[in-house]
Amino acid sequence: MSTPRIESLPEGLANLADFEPAAQARVDAQAWAYLNGGAADEITLRANRAAWDTIQLQPRVLRDLAGGHTRVNLLGRTLRHPILLAPIAYQRLFHADGELAVAHAAAAQEAGLILSAQASIDMQAVATPMLADATAGPLWFQLYWRDDRDFMRDLLQRVQAAGFQALVLTVDAPVHGARDRERRAGYQLPDHIRAVNLGGRKKPLDLQPGQSVLFDGLMPRAATWREIDWLRATSPLPLLLKGVTHIGDAREALDRGVTGFIVSNHGGRALDTLPPTAALLPPLRAALGPEVPLLVDGGIRRGTDVLKAMALGADAVLLGRPYVHALAASGALGVAHALRLLRDELEIAMALSGCKTLAEASPELLWPGSFPAYFR
């Protein structure tokens, strides 16, 4: 299948949240828990959303905004707008067309796409519609480290040959978080859905009596700074790290040739009680300076959220769960409609805030008294 099916949109879709009930009606309880759940008590999951709501805007008026636009520069490219789709695994759990539908929608709406290593559609099929449209946003490939360098070398070669323009290594989830909602629902990946771009089997764990599955089995296989050096030496593609939250780690990564970062707490799915990403972003920007590419995800739902993220120092934002809700609700057309709604809201927010371009979105746009204690 090279083109996704066309479905009708549910009625009354005025914003991204409106897709959620339509999606839940079409997705089984196990998959719904996998998509929407967070780690442990889901404190970080809730905080991501609450932080964007807490920050308030301080608009300027009577400015000449004629000719304004949402264009941004990222990794040497001019993008029509700063919205990319975050890597989310196994999208055929939510719609038969999965990542293929998402790629067509992203291309149609000039959005960027980061394909998960655990995608359920072949990477070349996903890349084709993105690369065929000159106005589409960037196409990047997200990696989890696998402790098999021959396998990783082959994967990197296939990614480059397929036309992907950058690598994104997720570094904040060497093991799964304690996802209670998934466990209560009894989530298991169905037999007919798999990570089609990751052939072969992982090496079985070789544990001695009394050894820890986590510390003696899994963690010796996790990525370290040595693997960052190997990735930089093995692939010519720019490398971004997703999930760096500490300034010291970011500085070491830059010293080792990493290009940029996605400020992320894994959507609240890995380690609970991390700060929200809206709070993590400003100190990283202040420490790293204006030239280092910084993207942010976590709780983005409104055009005002996008504008606030840009004012806090982001170069672009990643949309996560809401686009999968749109996919589940009505396939490619749903994802395209969700992106269009968010783009329109961003333009409205800019116009009502007195921002002609996103370069004008600075901390002065944000009301100082609205920042919670963790921003200070």
Side-chain angles (χ1 to χ4, degrees):
M1 180 177 59
S2 59
T3 58
R5 65 206 76 193
I6 302 299
E7 303 175 28
S8 60
L9 289 170
E11 295 182 357
L13 297 174
N15 58 53
L16 269 58
D18 288 339
F19 285 96
E20 191 165 346
Q24 188 169 11
R26 296 187 175 197
V27 174
D28 70 60
Q30 288 189 13
W32 191 253
Y34 168 74
L35 174 64
N36 292 286
D41 298 310
E42 301 186 344
I43 293 167
T44 297
L45 175 66
R46 294 189 298 273
N48 276 345
R49 176 67 237 144
W52 299 116
D53 285 342
T54 300
I55 302 169
Q56 296 172 342
L57 293 166
Q58 183 175 223
R60 302 297 300 271
V61 298
L62 299 176
R63 292 187 167 186
D64 181 3
L65 304 183
H69 60 78
T70 60
R71 293 190 295 273
V72 295
N73 295 314
L74 184 64
L75 298 194
R77 287 186 55 183
T78 299
L79 312 184
R80 301 293 182 94
H81 59 81
I83 302 166
L84 288 77
L85 299 182
I88 294 180
Y90 306 121
Q91 293 179 19
R92 290 189 61 231
L93 280 171
F94 312 104
H95 191 279
D97 294 341
E99 293 86 355
L100 179 66
V102 170
H104 278 270
Q109 290 298 326
E110 305 170 322
L113 172 62
I114 307 176
L115 183 68
S116 170
Q118 296 174 326
S120 51
I121 297 286
D122 177 75
M123 68 171 77
Q124 186 62 66
V126 175
T128 297
M130 292 291 292
L131 298 176
D133 192 331
T135 67
L139 177 65
W140 300 348
F141 192 90
Q142 178 263 344
L143 299 167
Y144 286 105
W145 180 257
R146 183 179 287 188
D147 190 26
D148 182 337
R149 294 197 175 187
D150 289 337
F151 169 83
M152 292 297 295
R153 185 178 292 105
D154 175 71
L155 177 62
L156 294 175
Q157 290 171 350
R158 287 188 285 128
V159 166
Q160 185 178 353
F164 288 81
Q165 299 139 5
L167 302 172
V168 174
L169 179 68
T170 296
V171 296
D172 63 346
V175 296
H176 287 301
R179 301 176 192 166
D180 295 351
R181 204 190 306 195
E182 279 184 34
R183 293 187 290 197
R184 293 189 189 105
Y187 168 75
Q188 289 185 324
L189 188 67
D191 291 338
H192 69 284
I193 295 176
R194 61 188 181 89
V196 299
N197 298 298
L198 302 179
R201 295 185 177 181
K202 295 180 180 179
K203 302 174 188 175
L205 298 181
D206 183 17
L207 295 174
Q208 301 301 313
Q211 286 189 314
S212 162
V213 170
L214 196 156
F215 286 110
D216 299 307
L218 296 176
M219 295 313 295
R221 301 182 178 188
T224 67
W225 291 112
R226 292 188 300 273
E227 283 65 47
I228 301 301
D229 295 339
W230 185 86
L231 286 170
R232 292 291 302 120
T234 305
S235 174
L237 296 178
L239 175 64
L240 295 93
L241 301 187
K242 181 175 181 288
V244 170
T245 61
H246 195 285
I247 292 168
D249 290 337
R251 286 176 171 150
E252 179 156 1
L254 292 176
D255 289 342
R256 293 173 181 266
V258 168
T259 302
F261 306 95
I262 297 173
V263 181
S264 174
N265 52 37
H266 216 88
R269 293 166 59 81
L271 178 63
D272 200 17
T273 71
L274 266 68
T277 51
L280 293 168
L281 175 59
L284 282 166
R285 174 55 77 200
L288 302 179
E291 301 303 321
V292 175
L294 286 183
L295 296 83
V296 67
D297 69 6
I300 300 290
R301 297 293 185 274
R302 287 282 192 179
T304 46
D305 301 336
V306 180
L307 183 59
K308 292 170 188 177
M310 303 300 285
L312 290 172
D315 293 297
V317 305
L318 271 59
L319 185 66
R321 291 177 178 94
Y323 85 80
V324 182
H325 296 157
L327 171 67
S330 48
L333 186 59
V335 179
H337 188 57
L339 283 166
R340 184 72 256 178
L341 287 171
L342 193 60
R343 290 180 65 182
D344 289 346
E345 286 187 5
L346 174 59
E347 290 192 358
I348 292 168
M350 291 172 64
L352 294 176
S353 297
C355 284
K356 187 173 183 176
T357 70
L358 289 169
E360 297 179 0
S362 72
E364 294 181 357
L365 180 64
L366 308 175
W367 181 250
S370 68
F371 283 57
Y374 48 65
F375 282 88
R376 303 190 185 107

